Amino acid sequence: MKILVCISHVPDTTSKINFTEGDSRFDTNGVQFVINPNDEFGLTRAMWFKEQQGATVTVVNVGPADTEPTLRKALAIGADEAIRVNAEPTDGYYVAKQLARVVSEGNYDLIIAGRESIDYNGGMVPGMLASLCGANFVNTCIGIEVDGNSANVTREIDGGKEILKTTLPLVIGGQKGLVEEKDLKIPNMRGIMMARKKALNVLEPVEAETMTKAVSFEKPAPKGAVKLVSPDNLDELISLLHNEAKVI
Amino acid sequence: MSVLVYTESENGKFKKTAFEAASYASEVAKLLGTEVVAVAVNADNPGELAGYGVDKTLVVKNDKLSNFNEKAYADILAQAAGKSASSVVILSSSANAKYLAPVLAVALNAGYASNVIALPESTAPFTVKRTAFTNKAFSLTEINTPVKVLGIAKNSYGVIAAEGKGETEEFSPELGADDFSTEVVSVDKVTGKVSIADAEIVVSGGRGLKGPENWGMIEELADVLGAATACSKPVSDLGWRPHGEHVGQTGKPVASNLYIAVGISGAIQHLAGINASKVKVVINNDPEAPFFKAADYGVVGDAFDVVPRLTEKLKEFKANNA
Ligand SMILES: Cc1cc2nc3c(=O)[nH]c(=O)nc-3n(C[C@H](O)[C@H](O)[C@H](O)COP(=O)(O)OP(=O)(O)OC[C@H]3O[C@@H](n4cnc5c(N)ncnc54)[C@H](O)[C@@H]3O)c2cc1C
Ligand SMILES: Nc1ncnc2c1ncn2[C@@H]1O[C@H](COP(=O)(O)O)[C@@H](O)[C@H]1O
């Protein structure tokens, strides 16, 4: 089985979010970038398929050269090779088009992406990619088993989960649950050494449209101070929630 | 021309997200000077949508569609959009709608904006405000394709009554075998419990509760309020609570009216997922806990003392205000 794991390169979850150039661009100054957490779960699941079922694992990112450390980290975790499509990931459709080309050239059977990137929160690349490739698609995926050409997949739904049966080629939008938090792979010294020798191929992008554009950004208005209520006066809390906040 | 809206139902009944999406669609239609067409699949009372501004409902009845399936639903909506010459398609942010939207967008060759929180700021160019960076910021996004797909963030617009013509029309789109290439084997839904996605109120517990055996008081508090229960990430990582309850940047987003956090410190990754909630209450015995900076109301106290008493008082309050 050939697996492609789509890796989005995002600010670390503790990053302070600021904007520059008249609030039109994300300020990367001092920001630490990491593998998108949803993709980290997917990558670890891919490693399981590699170890248990002899799958080969390629990781891919659509981004400029400064995303390479993120791809190297994925190689250190155990991916066999990496591909970077050398382009600014301007919008979800554009990224999906670039990935679709990688999928068709590489004939991947299983494409693991994340439910969403934690930066722009588009939640659109995996679904668009599946449609563009004519592959099956399961979103908010929390479990996957593959047997030959068929896949049993568990998907989180509002208020529960469902089990689906489908066939490869398949794109999943993965998230936590795909593997347990404690099983997340972190690179060890040997992995880091080996990653240096693995191939990181750079492809030039194919022609594709962008359909959306982030024109400007703003931060939420700072909020007022908390109203503290004494633990001996919980009636006051109820009264505030009822009369002031009007939420109960 | 028209604005198309996907109105979700479950077991024949419209979900609240259907009314919220319809309300939003009806305002967009006003901005564009056109009408609202809804697509309702296996809904018992399509006429109900008239009260939220829907002019015409395309009623699809098909037993093969009793389980949601993104390909078939995208196919139906794409055909409806074609037939109704829709320039804007509105969906909610339910798990199913988020599954469907990108697939539909490709079928319509449309630009898609998710997590939209307000009416378009302008219609030419077409710009909408959406959340980004997990609620740490907003982005004004322009969609530059003739057809646009919008996913409306939960609880951001509200359910607003409006008068629509309320016509209904039977609609039997053609579905191909490929639409059913993914099959639902089983559905495991917690019944009799409010889901985080549907909840107006969410009561959430953190590591401060010490262990899974102490969740009874969280469930009781949630019960009085008709609330869903949730938890912080370490709590689900430790297996104290199911993964589906984990909220935050890497878990579920919460956009409830009221979010009550008990024994949760208020780490940035937790807050990111719950920022969209309107009113936040924190109960924590450490006055320095960062959650107090993010909350509207706070009680500095021991959860094991405060929560049971709060539950009792709320019971009285509910009894007196019923
Ligand atoms: C990549 C990444 C992603 C993450 N994503 C998420 C996420 O999505 N969601 C999430 O929640 N976290 C997330 N985290 C973890 C986050 O950083 C925090 O570690 C976590 O939120 C802390 O959980 P907690 O508040 O339950 O526990 P703690 O930080 O241990 O806090 C427990 C709190 O309980 C209070 N307490 C103790 N005893 C009592 C008592 N008797 N009564 C009242 N209060 C009491 C303490 O004062 C303390 O404030 C993420 C971390 C990383 C690195
Ligand atoms: N620039 C990118 N390069 C590779 N994969 C990406 C990129 N952007 C998004 N993805 C994948 O698509 C998923 C969802 O991203 P998004 O649609 O941006 O929320 C991510 O978790 C990744 O798996």
Side-chain angles (χ1 to χ4, degrees):
Chain A
M1 177 166 54
K2 287 186 77 179
I3 301 180
L4 182 70
V5 183
C6 305
I7 304 279
S8 132
H9 159 94
V10 298
D12 172 80
T13 55
T14 53
S15 302
K16 291 265 179 295
I17 304 299
N18 289 306
F19 301 99
T20 58
E21 295 175 32
D23 284 335
S24 69
R25 272 182 89 88
F26 174 58
D27 185 357
T28 56
N29 218 330
V31 171
Q32 173 92 27
F33 282 86
V34 295
I35 299 177
N36 185 39
N38 290 319
D39 303 342
E40 223 181 331
F41 291 108
L43 180 60
T44 301
R45 187 63 193 164
M47 289 302 112
W48 184 92
F49 283 117
K50 176 176 166 169
E51 285 154 18
Q52 306 292 322
Q53 300 188 354
T56 57
V57 179
T58 304
V59 289
V60 62
N61 171 262
V62 179
D66 49 5
T67 70
E68 288 195 1
T70 301
L71 284 174
R72 286 275 172 218
K73 184 176 171 200
L75 290 172
I77 288 172
D80 299 300
E81 57 163 359
I83 299 171
R84 180 173 67 83
V85 180
N86 185 30
E88 276 301 326
T90 32
D91 89 328
Y93 184 77
Y94 180 86
V95 170
K97 275 275 200 186
Q98 303 306 328
L99 293 173
R101 174 266 194 124
V102 172
V103 170
S104 77
E105 287 180 0
N107 271 311
Y108 295 95
D109 307 295
L110 175 63
I111 299 105
I112 301 181
R115 169 192 74 184
E116 68 172 13
S117 307
I118 60 166
D119 51 1
Y120 294 96
N121 304 116
M124 57 178 83
V125 169
M128 289 181 167
L129 174 61
S131 290
L132 292 171
C133 303
N136 288 318
F137 173 45
V138 175
N139 204 19
T140 53
C141 180
I142 53 172
I144 175 165
E145 311 273 347
V146 176
D147 182 7
N149 192 37
S150 66
N152 282 315
V153 192
T154 310
R155 172 171 92 95
E156 191 170 273
I157 55 176
D158 291 334
K161 55 188 178 187
E162 65 184 19
I163 296 175
L164 306 158
K165 207 175 160 59
T166 188
T167 52
L168 306 181
L170 169 69
V171 178
I172 62 166
Q175 61 182 51
K176 185 179 136 181
L178 222 39
V179 296
E180 295 294 321
E181 178 84 14
K182 62 174 173 26
D183 296 330
L184 277 181
K185 298 242 183 217
I186 37 173
N188 56 24
M189 211 47 214
R190 187 160 163 268
I192 294 168
M193 298 300 287
M194 283 180 40
R196 292 197 190 137
K197 298 200 201 88
K198 290 178 181 168
L200 196 165
N201 301 314
V202 179
L203 298 179
E204 287 312 312
V206 290
E207 205 48 60
E209 302 157 68
T210 58
M211 298 189 162
T212 59
K213 178 171 161 232
V215 185
S216 62
F217 295 94
E218 65 183 87
K219 294 214 274 181
K223 62 173 295 300
V226 61
K227 275 195 190 167
L228 287 181
V229 177
S230 153
D232 301 322
N233 196 4
L234 296 175
D235 287 319
E236 188 192 339
L237 179 62
I238 293 174
S239 148
L240 285 167
L241 292 177
H242 181 63
N243 299 314
E244 187 178 86
K246 300 192 167 44
V247 287
I248 59 170
Chain B
M1 226 184 50
S2 71
V3 172
L4 193 76
V5 57
Y6 168 48
T7 47
E8 292 169 274
S9 56
E10 195 171 291
N11 301 324
K13 288 179 73 169
F14 284 118
K15 299 188 58 157
K16 185 184 156 200
T17 52
F19 300 134
E20 189 169 15
S23 307
Y24 183 96
S26 113
E27 276 304 310
V28 175
K30 268 189 215 153
L31 290 175
L32 295 171
T34 179
E35 59 167 19
V36 183
V37 179
V39 176
V41 180
N42 294 336
D44 297 335
N45 294 309
E48 260 181 278
L49 296 173
Y52 306 94
V54 172
D55 296 304
K56 182 159 97 186
T57 303
L58 300 175
V59 180
V60 182
K61 297 258 184 204
N62 185 338
D63 287 341
K64 277 166 99 180
L65 299 170
S66 55
N67 283 311
F68 177 82
N69 161 349
E70 96 293 356
K71 275 195 193 170
Y73 278 62
D75 204 357
I76 294 169
L77 281 157
Q79 291 180 47
K83 167 183 154 80
S84 314
S86 311
S87 59
V88 182
V89 182
I90 311 284
L91 295 96
S92 79
S93 286
S94 69
N96 287 348
K98 284 197 159 181
Y99 188 6
L100 166 64
V103 177
L104 176 62
V106 170
L108 291 172
N109 209 15
Y112 164 44
S114 56
N115 304 322
V116 171
I117 52 161
L119 287 171
E121 301 219 340
S122 73
T123 54
F126 197 93
T127 55
V128 285
K129 201 180 197 180
R130 58 183 299 275
T131 58
F133 298 94
T134 330
N135 291 310
K136 289 186 223 165
F138 303 109
S139 130
L140 187 67
T141 297
E142 183 179 320
I143 309 181
N144 46 40
T145 44
V147 181
K148 290 118 187 136
V149 175
L150 306 183
I152 309 307
K154 189 195 152 213
N155 242 344
S156 59
Y157 188 70
V159 174
I160 297 165
E163 224 171 287
K165 290 196 213 104
E167 295 161 9
T168 57
E169 183 184 312
E170 237 176 79
F171 181 48
S172 315
E174 282 190 31
L175 298 172
D178 185 55
D179 284 339
F180 298 93
S181 57
T182 298
E183 182 197 339
V184 176
V185 180
S186 65
V187 181
D188 178 5
K189 241 183 139 162
V190 190
T191 47
K193 250 195 104 190
V194 195
S195 74
I196 294 172
D198 293 331
E200 304 282 338
I201 303 180
V202 173
V203 179
S204 189
R207 200 150 50 181
L209 290 168
K210 314 281 191 280
E213 66 281 5
N214 297 324
W215 243 263
M217 65 180 190
I218 296 293
E219 284 176 340
E220 280 165 34
L221 176 57
D223 270 353
V224 214
L225 291 167
T229 52
C231 68
S232 67
K233 179 163 172 287
V235 166
S236 71
D237 291 344
L238 289 162
W240 297 357
R241 299 296 290 177
H243 284 311
E245 282 201 3
H246 154 208
V247 301
Q249 184 157 21
T250 52
K252 284 210 173 67
V254 178
S256 55
N257 283 331
L258 174 60
Y259 183 78
I260 304 182
V262 185
I264 299 178
S265 57
I268 188 165
Q269 299 94 347
H270 185 85
L271 297 176
I274 60 113
N275 268 338
S277 288
K278 299 218 164 77
V279 176
K280 296 166 213 94
V281 175
V282 54
I283 301 170
N284 194 308
N285 61 4
D286 174 9
E288 301 296 322
F291 215 122
F292 286 101
K293 292 210 173 66
D296 301 283
Y297 303 101
V299 180
V300 179
D302 181 358
F304 295 91
D305 160 53
V306 173
V307 173
R309 284 195 297 112
L310 180 61
T311 305
E312 282 316 307
K313 287 188 181 293
L314 278 165
K315 276 187 194 154
E316 277 169 42
F317 167 82
K318 290 275 172 184
N320 297 334
N321 286 269

